[in-house]
Amino acid sequence: SRRVGSEEDVLIERMGGDTADWRARSRREAPEVDGYVWVSGAKKARPGEVIRVRFTGAADYDMKAEALPKPKR
């Protein structure tokens, strides 16, 4: 996927089932239609929060991403 290596904001939806990853979606994933973005490394994330991620891989319908540190103000 062309998105691997790029950065985007995603909306955290909920914790994934058997993993420590969060299920999220970007502006490109429509709810109940498209796949999800599975985010690792977002230990302090909460549902409803928007965080910045870097895409690290792609599966059939889903993307894999890692959370990026929040920018310092």
Side-chain angles (χ1 to χ4, degrees):
S1 170
R2 288 188 243 177
R3 294 170 75 185
V4 173
S6 67
E7 296 179 8
E8 276 186 51
D9 291 333
V10 298
L11 173 68
I12 298 294
E13 291 187 334
R14 68 177 180 86
M15 182 64 82
D18 297 336
T19 70
D21 293 347
W22 285 94
R23 188 178 85 180
R25 59 186 164 92
S26 74
R27 294 176 186 226
R28 298 180 189 210
E29 286 83 35
E32 300 179 21
V33 176
D34 294 318
Y36 300 106
V37 178
W38 293 98
V39 180
S40 63
K43 295 178 183 176
K44 295 183 179 183
R46 298 287 176 254
E49 183 178 2
V50 175
I51 65 168
R52 190 85 176 160
V53 300
R54 178 177 296 116
F55 292 104
T56 58
D60 290 335
Y61 300 103
D62 298 335
M63 295 296 297
K64 296 179 182 177
E66 63 183 15
L68 296 175
K70 289 185 180 182
K72 296 180 181 179
R73 295 181 186 225

